[in-house]
Amino acid sequence: MVERKQQLVRDKVSRLVNWGHWFALFNGFLALIVGSRYLDTVGLPESALGWGYLLLASIGQFAFLAFLVYLLTLFPLTLLLPYAKILRGLGAAVATLGLCVLLYDTIIYDDYGVHLSPFAFDVAWADLHALLRGTSYIVTPVAILALELTAANFLWKRMAKLERLGIGSKVATLVGSFFIASHLIHIWGDASAVKDITRYDDAYPLFYPATARSFMESHGLDSGRDVPAEMPEQVINYPLAPLSCSRDTNTAAVNSQPNTQRQPNVLIVAIDGLRADMVNAQTMPFLASFSQNSQRFEKHLSGGNQFYSGMFSLMYGLQGSYIGSNDFKNISPVLGQSFKAAGYQLKRFGPKSNEASPRPLATFKDFDSSLMDDSVSRALADIQSREAFERWRAGQTGPWFTVLNLGAPDTYDTPVGFVGIETILAPAGMAPAERVLFNQYRQSLNFIDGELQKLLGNHGSEAMADTLIIVTGVSGKAFTSSSSEASRDLSPQTVRVPLFIHWPNGDKGSVNYSTSHHGIAPTLMTKVLGCTNPITDYSAGRQLLLPSEQPWVYVGDNRFFAIYQEDEITLIDRHGKYDVYDASFEHRLDKKLSAPDLIQVMREGRRLYRH
């Protein structure tokens, strides 16, 4: 009799487990319907291959999510409380909660571009009234619960028929094969850079498709790839409105002879790895002296810690969340477009190796390029770049706009035979290897200082008297030889850079409010070209000559970034994990992020996308 009862209990549990599997499959189908809302944000595939991958990945992922919820909630309860009525009610409640969370996540993703996480939840909670509009947030859960109760009872009553059909294992195998196949296809798509596949990498919650890099690393191979992920495929509306520029209105403001209305030349000297705290009379005496005759921005930040992100913020004036957009492979910065339209000759000089950086391909689309081979020596390439610029400038008869990129400090390089400056005691707290790099870095900066003196030492001469000169760092520098470590370091040493502007009219002085690379393009557009559009039409809404109304600066790319504020620094990755540090980056703070400011950050990062 006891064995008979035990067998009945086992049969009942087995039937409930089977019911749970079918119920999870049904909710995977509902999740697939709700999850289709993500495609409104990400966009639809453009090829049959993309559609095939998306179908496999979507079915596999949402079936996986539904089964995961079942495995973590209903399955343990089935063993503890094998009562059909209780489990059907609990199952309907759990499924309703899960679908509501998924639905809420689609709203969060559409508004902020991230999935639910501690970071996103804090931001969304502060903005809850704007996200949940009308009465749908009350009606929808009730409707879902009614549907779930109906489905739970329907499946239970037909379990015997489903068991007789014997198709459960076949359905499970089919769905499982979809899940595996999507990952295998993604490995190939990632290795082959098929954008119609990789564009969906961040589309779904808890979706971590296998990549060629992870596959090779798991087999002991080095993929050699370290490229920022692309943003979901959306159309960029940049600029937001046609630009209205008239150089005559502002030429006098930057020219030493306002009556001539002469168009000033513009020279941007952008130095890779130039830290603000290293510009001093001991290491860079010429630049320190040059800064005293220029406008000095004492609290300046680059928009990134790498060449591609720092240069993106400088040229486009946009925060790095836009870096992954495919549109910026073809849309050049309005800064270059506008100078070209105003009759300027555009030219850039620099090391050829920066071409391999994963920056948007159109950053210098409007410029003629003269790039130097730096495979042997970056310092030698810098000398060649300076000399090439001076020869080119001597032959110009009209106004010109030049970006001169010097790169030696980023690789601690100096020319063969260079006799620099004496080593000094490194700051306290540095490891032995860092102390060595610190002094080698100083030697490289001293070499660059000499090149700047040759380039700008005659800035008072007739050849340079009508030139607006900007000297800044593309990014700062962390003393490490590990590229992966440097790429994730967003501390002040990697993003605080000097910015000196030598105006033709002689304006100089110290600017003590916070500024960033995002303000360089708007300042040139308004002061040199006389553009009258609102700055928000084409940039992050900052400028250099007035304090920004935004109490934060976005630093980084679209995968890993930091929010710099007056008293704290918040580091955030693409999965929503965040840490808050004090302003010196020396102590991690036990506090939550500032949700109101982060709401502005997230919206600024999606403002230029067409919905």
Side-chain angles (χ1 to χ4, degrees), residues 100-384:
C100 288
V101 170
L102 182 65
L103 184 60
Y104 188 49
D105 185 69
T106 64
I107 299 172
I108 297 295
Y109 189 74
D110 183 59
D111 206 32
Y112 303 125
V114 296
H115 294 291
L116 276 176
S117 62
F119 157 70
F121 185 80
D122 285 343
V123 175
W125 183 259
D127 200 31
L128 193 64
H129 67 284
L131 293 171
L132 300 180
R133 306 174 183 90
T135 59
S136 59
Y137 65 93
I138 298 175
V139 175
T140 302
V142 173
I144 294 176
L145 180 60
L147 177 62
E148 292 289 355
L149 287 170
T150 302
N153 289 318
F154 179 86
L155 289 172
W156 178 252
K157 292 177 180 178
R158 285 157 180 79
M159 279 309 302
K161 183 177 180 180
L162 291 172
E163 289 173 350
R164 285 196 301 271
L165 291 174
I167 61 174
S169 59
K170 296 177 182 178
V171 173
T173 301
L174 181 64
V175 173
S177 66
F178 283 2
F179 183 78
I180 295 171
S182 67
H183 283 265
L184 293 176
I185 293 173
H186 189 275
I187 290 175
W188 169 80
D190 179 64
S192 304
V194 180
K195 302 305 184 222
D196 227 17
I197 291 177
T198 57
R199 62 188 284 194
Y200 296 103
D201 286 1
D202 296 322
Y204 298 145
L206 301 179
F207 186 46
Y208 306 109
T211 64
R213 178 177 181 177
S214 63
F215 178 80
M216 286 190 277
E217 288 178 348
S218 68
H219 287 77
L221 302 173
D222 183 9
S223 68
R225 299 179 64 194
D226 188 17
V227 220
E230 293 199 350
M231 288 290 289
E233 192 69 18
Q234 292 177 290
V235 178
I236 287 287
N237 188 20
Y238 169 85
L240 291 177
L243 295 181
S244 175
C245 304
S246 176
R247 65 177 186 271
D248 291 343
T249 60
N250 275 34
T251 298
V254 297
N255 202 295
S256 57
Q257 298 177 359
N259 293 330
T260 65
Q261 298 294 306
R262 172 86 162 78
Q263 291 175 267
N265 302 316
V266 177
L267 171 63
I268 298 179
V269 183
I271 303 169
D272 296 344
L274 179 59
R275 288 171 50 151
D277 60 355
M278 301 298 285
V279 180
N280 53 59
Q282 191 174 28
T283 304
M284 304 187 77
F286 171 75
L287 186 56
S289 174
F290 177 84
S291 70
Q292 297 305 308
N293 294 314
S294 306
Q295 198 166 27
R296 306 179 300 279
F297 296 83
E298 307 288 355
K299 298 180 180 179
H300 191 75
L301 294 173
S302 171
N305 64 342
Q306 302 289 298
F307 175 81
Y308 69 90
S309 53
M311 194 59 78
F312 181 85
S313 64
L314 192 157
M315 296 301 294
Y316 282 94
L318 298 173
Q319 64 185 42
S321 56
Y322 290 103
I323 282 178
S325 170
N326 273 331
D327 283 341
F328 283 124
K329 290 183 177 179
N330 301 306
I331 302 175
S332 60
V334 295
L335 179 65
Q337 295 179 38
S338 300
F339 270 96
K340 190 173 183 178
Y344 278 72
Q345 293 295 315
L346 274 59
K347 186 83 171 183
R348 66 163 175 146
F349 302 83
K352 188 177 294 184
S353 63
N354 279 338
E355 287 298 278
S357 178
R359 60 177 174 79
L361 298 178
T363 303
F364 294 107
K365 181 180 178 181
D366 298 305
F367 288 74
D368 291 331
S369 296
S370 180
L371 303 179
M372 310 304 161
D373 182 6
D374 59 328
S375 57
V376 175
S377 169
R378 274 222 174 175
L380 179 59
D382 288 346
I383 295 173
Q384 293 171 343

Side-chain angles (χ1 to χ4, degrees), residues 426-500:
M430 284 190 176
E434 291 176 325
R435 292 198 291 269
V436 174
L437 292 175
F438 168 76
N439 271 296
Q440 182 57 35
Y441 178 64
R442 292 182 62 249
Q443 301 298 329
S444 182
L445 291 181
N446 187 250
F447 155 70
I448 287 294
D449 192 62
E451 290 302 298
L452 291 176
Q453 185 170 15
K454 294 173 184 176
L455 176 71
L456 306 176
N458 62 346
H459 59 267
S461 67
E462 183 179 349
M464 296 286 277
D466 58 353
T467 301
L468 190 161
I469 303 169
I470 297 176
V471 180
T472 189
V474 178
S475 64
K477 187 68 179 173
F479 299 129
T480 175
S481 57
S482 169
S483 58
S484 61
E485 181 180 336
S487 68
R488 296 183 66 84
D489 189 336
L490 288 169
S491 62
Q493 63 183 358
T494 68
V495 296
R496 289 203 182 279
V497 297
L499 174 64
F500 309 126

Side-chain angles (χ1 to χ4, degrees), residues 30 65 77 110 125 141 158 220 224 383 471 481 580 582 602 606:
L30 290 184
L65 290 177
L77 290 174
D110 183 59
W125 183 259
R158 285 157 180 79
I383 295 173
V471 180
S481 57
V580 182
D582 64 10
M602 303 305 291
R606 299 181 63 76

